[in-house]
Amino acid sequence: MIEGAVRLNRFGLERGRFWSAALLALAVFAPALLWTQWDGAVDGEEAVPSGTVITLEASSNPGAVGKGRVWFTVPGDGWVTETGANRQSAVTLVHSPVVVRTSAIGGVDDILVLFERQARDLRMGNRVLFATGSRDYVTPTGLTGYWGDLTGERYSGALIVVGRGEVAAVIVAVAPLGRLEDQLGDLTNILATLEASDVE
Amino acid sequence: MSSDVMTRVVMEGQGTFVRVRRPAYWLYVGLLAFGLLYIGDRLSGAFGHLAGALWVPIVLNGLLAALFIWILGRMDLFEREPAAVRAAALLWGALVATSFAIIANNAMVSLITKLYGVNFATKWGAALAGPINEEWLKTLGVVCIVLIVREHFQRSMDGLIYGAFVGLGFQVVENLTYAINNAVSNPNSDLAGSVSVTLLRILIAGPWSHPVYSGVAGLGIAFAVTQTGRTRAMRYGVAAACFLAAWALHFLWNSPLPAWLPKGLAFFAVYGKGALILVFFFILYGISARREWHWFTEIMHDEPESVITPAELESMRTLRTRRLARKKAAKDYGLYGKRIMTRLQRAQVVLGEAKARCKRADGDLASAPDVLLARANIVGIREELNAPGKKRIGLKTRKQEGEDVGEPPAR
């Protein structure tokens, strides 16, 4: 317990201490403001030419250290990517109105478990999507796994989890309700070139 | 209307941290509320789905926090920082610094990816975003505490302790967010993801992580505000140097190992980086502790031998020398003597604090009540220690001593 006399300003706060607090507030907000504004000012959209081969390194989660690669060819023109959201293990491609996010995951024990976990994550996400009608799926390149239809309040899409060995590719394609069917060709073209390898 | 007319003067008594008349206090409260909502929002959703996988990380991080709190409680040898202020520092790190750092780091990594590509961002994103945003936000926690309760900063060591508490709060919440992220992203199991990353972070980064970096930066802030006898350039220069050092330590830890390094040496390289960080920290701590010791000898040098003898003064230097003094008391007087010596050492520290407080307030050391009380307490303890027959008690076994205490006196 301390006791002392303090001089107050008109707001009932100690005199001469407002500006230091204001500067501190500014300093706390500064990094978030600086980076979000700068990030927003830089155009991260980049066109991806048809025929570009995209290779993803399988992420090495500490609990699942398997490695490998996933790759596919961008089908046709009109695809762009949001470079800021891309990682070595994941890429987001947009062919308006369809958004396709492809991830490479290593150390997979069971594709079905991974499919169910991915479906759960989509249910937990900001844009709630439910995977329904899941079924076995084999890509034209021979990767085996599962396909589920995604349904949400305003969006629909598809969740495809396929792999080879310990490496899996997870593809989440999302479009406004009823719009994916028109663009399904793009998705099947991606799947037609999708390959995975657990050799580093 | 002149500004003098607008001035009101009030007399107030407040707790160790609550300062309702200071704008910085309300800023702290507001930022804490924001952090609570932000971090709460991120964690509560995950807890709903992952509760089964998170109890292990929560327990492990709780143990880590308890261990650090125990260590930090012993690092300042001549003062025990108030629990409320330590808690405030911990909460700043846990809620304010983490929430703003998440927003800033995400945006910065996104920007780096846009500007320099995925490969560069993967390699250097964490090494750049982590130190730049996190060290800044954690250091501001110490600044905020200075603005609220400047009176709790007497020497540089105080800043080191409060900074370390800010870092500890940050580390625990960061570990939990990693546990959640890895529980979700593990392809096979929530539990495997959360436990593996928690163990990795505690075993590999635990000893030389955020408490160390923030402790270094906090030491600089405290140096700047307490060493008022030095030039401004010196004070702010040291504060800036300490902040840069904290930044560099964090950068060193987050930076990737060189590609040419053989995989077999990676383990040693990682621990080598950690050892470097710890060595730097302990050098700074050693310098600071030596200054604390000089301060203590200076403030106690005029005390009579009934309060502190030259040998006792020397024995107060480090935890080790204090332990040796207690061991000696145990040897001479038994367990009773050891307990009395522990009380004596604590009472001498209390006297040092009371004298310092009195000096800061330009009070009279000869009549200040808390100084007189602390002195009388020491004299009383010494009388207990030197009372006739203590040798006899000291020779008794613990059991005999217990029997003496437990049995009612014979009528």
Side-chain angles (χ1 to χ4, degrees):
Chain A
M1 170 81 79
I2 64 143
E3 286 194 357
V6 286
R7 289 181 176 278
L8 306 182
N9 61 18
R10 69 186 71 194
F11 304 110
L13 296 171
E14 221 173 312
R15 287 184 76 189
R17 293 184 182 267
F18 174 78
W19 288 110
S20 54
L23 274 178
L24 177 67
L26 200 65
V28 170
F29 284 95
L33 280 175
L34 171 71
W35 300 123
T36 49
Q37 294 305 307
W38 193 349
D39 182 46
V42 175
D43 181 19
E45 204 170 87
E46 198 175 273
V48 186
S50 174
T52 304
V53 177
I54 292 179
T55 303
L56 304 171
E57 302 286 334
S59 61
S60 55
N61 190 292
V65 290
K67 290 197 171 182
R69 290 177 302 131
V70 164
W71 66 96
F72 63 92
T73 306
V74 175
D77 293 319
W79 289 93
V80 293
T81 181
E82 289 288 343
T83 52
N86 291 341
R87 301 288 176 265
Q88 273 191 327
S89 61
V91 64
T92 302
L93 294 174
V94 182
H95 194 248
S96 190
V98 182
V99 178
V100 180
R101 182 153 181 94
T102 309
S103 313
I105 297 179
V108 180
D109 292 340
D110 185 334
I111 289 281
L112 180 58
V113 170
L114 178 62
F115 176 83
E116 286 169 351
R117 291 175 63 75
Q118 293 294 320
R120 182 197 63 175
D121 294 348
L122 289 167
R123 279 200 308 275
M124 284 165 57
N126 291 332
R127 193 164 51 191
V128 179
L129 290 164
F130 294 94
T132 55
S134 57
R135 52 198 178 273
D136 293 349
Y137 178 72
V138 182
T139 65
T141 52
L143 302 181
T144 56
Y146 299 88
W147 178 302
D149 300 321
L150 294 175
T151 331
E153 197 180 355
R154 285 186 297 150
Y155 292 87
S156 65
L159 166 67
I160 302 121
V161 180
V162 289
R164 178 172 288 141
E166 288 194 333
V167 175
V170 175
I171 296 170
V172 180
V174 178
L177 272 176
R179 302 285 298 275
L180 184 67
E181 289 74 14
D182 305 338
Q183 308 284 336
L184 208 56
D186 287 335
L187 185 58
T188 48
N189 286 339
I190 287 178
L191 292 169
T193 61
L194 188 67
E195 263 295 3
S197 165
D198 54 8
V199 178
E200 281 186 56
Chain B
M1 187 181 283
S2 76
S3 61
D4 287 345
V5 178
M6 292 304 299
T7 302
R8 283 190 291 143
V9 180
V10 292
M11 285 291 288
E12 283 190 338
Q14 295 176 12
T16 41
F17 185 71
V18 177
R19 297 286 182 276
V20 294
R21 300 294 184 185
R22 297 217 168 137
Y25 174 75
W26 291 109
L27 175 67
Y28 175 89
V29 171
L31 292 173
L32 202 65
F34 171 81
L36 192 65
L37 291 173
Y38 188 84
I39 297 291
D41 181 52
R42 287 181 79 90
L43 298 188
S44 59
F47 272 110
H49 294 87
L50 306 168
L54 293 182
W55 67 268
V56 178
I58 288 170
V59 169
L60 290 176
N61 280 295
L63 290 174
L64 176 82
L67 177 69
F68 266 93
I69 288 170
W70 183 82
I71 293 170
L72 293 173
R74 273 144 194 81
M75 286 180 77
D76 192 346
L77 299 175
F78 299 101
E79 188 197 4
R80 194 167 174 79
E81 281 74 17
V85 186
R86 285 186 285 163
L90 191 86
L91 287 175
W92 178 284
L95 297 172
V96 181
T98 43
S99 49
F100 282 94
I102 289 170
I103 299 168
N105 284 356
N106 287 346
M108 191 176 173
V109 170
S110 169
L111 178 68
I112 292 172
T113 311
K114 285 178 186 176
L115 294 178
Y116 302 108
V118 170
N119 288 340
F120 182 86
T122 304
K123 210 169 181 182
W124 293 101
L128 292 170
I132 288 174
N133 298 319
E134 294 168 9
E135 289 317 312
W136 176 254
L137 290 163
K138 287 183 295 167
T139 306
L140 291 179
V142 182
V143 174
C144 187
I145 292 170
V146 168
L147 292 180
I148 298 169
V149 281
R150 163 68 184 83
E151 58 272 24
H152 291 310
F153 286 76
Q154 328 300 348
R155 294 173 299 282
S156 307
M157 182 67 85
D158 299 331
L160 184 145
I161 302 293
Y162 291 130
F165 269 98
V166 171
L168 178 62
F170 192 95
Q171 186 175 354
V172 167
V173 171
E174 190 186 51
N175 284 354
L176 285 177
T177 56
Y178 269 86
I180 289 170
N181 290 344
N182 277 271
V184 171
S185 67
N186 188 286
N188 307 312
S189 146
D190 292 340
L191 191 64
S194 66
V195 172
S196 56
V197 78
T198 301
L199 287 175
L200 203 70
R201 289 184 65 80
I202 289 178
L203 293 178
I204 295 183
W208 36 70
S209 189
H210 292 283
V212 170
Y213 317 141
S214 306
V216 171
L219 185 143
I221 299 292
F223 184 91
V225 296
T226 60
Q227 301 296 306
T228 46
R230 298 174 190 272
T231 61
R232 274 188 179 204
M234 172 77 167
R235 284 156 53 201
Y236 294 133
V238 168
C242 284
F243 177 75
L244 285 177
W247 188 93
L249 296 176
H250 197 161
F251 178 79
L252 173 70
W253 180 250
N254 279 16
S255 58
L257 295 173
W260 48 262
L261 194 76
K263 278 193 174 174
L265 291 179
F267 173 86
F268 298 102
V270 167
Y271 275 90
K273 284 204 287 187
L276 268 180
I277 292 167
L278 267 193
V279 166
F280 181 85
F281 175 77
F282 279 113
I283 288 172
L284 271 191
Y285 173 73
I287 294 168
S288 189
R290 207 160 39 242
R291 296 178 66 86
E292 291 269 299
W293 161 246
H294 286 311
W295 165 82
F296 189 70
T297 52
E298 210 167 278
I299 207 153
M300 299 293 273
H301 81 279
D302 55 352
E303 291 295 332
E305 290 207 2
S306 59
V307 173
I308 190 161
T309 65
E312 283 168 357
L313 191 59
E314 186 59 36
S315 75
M316 293 296 284
R317 190 174 195 127
T318 63
L319 283 178
R320 190 179 150 272
T321 52
R322 287 181 196 185
R323 199 167 49 244
L324 285 176
R326 289 198 295 271
K327 268 189 180 173
K328 187 174 180 307
K331 200 176 157 192
D332 292 346
Y333 301 101
L335 282 174
Y336 176 84
K338 188 180 175 183
R339 278 199 293 272
I340 291 281
M341 181 54 77
T342 307
R343 280 174 54 201
L344 183 66
Q345 289 175 342
R346 279 187 194 149
Q348 286 164 340
V349 168
V350 169
L351 175 62
E353 283 178 32
K355 289 181 78 175
R357 238 186 345 261
C358 180
K359 276 189 171 178
R360 277 198 302 279
D362 289 329
D364 180 10
L365 283 174
S367 61
D370 51 346
V371 175
L372 295 178
L373 194 68
R375 224 178 252 140
N377 193 22
I378 292 174
V379 172
I381 293 170
R382 191 178 298 288
E383 278 170 4
E384 274 188 66
L385 189 68
N386 295 332
K390 284 297 174 293
K391 277 281 186 188
R392 186 175 57 79
I393 291 172
L395 290 172
K396 284 183 180 178
T397 62
R398 180 181 278 186
K399 190 182 171 199
Q400 282 171 318
E401 233 184 289
E403 282 166 1
D404 283 352
V405 172
E407 285 174 8
R411 289 177 188 272

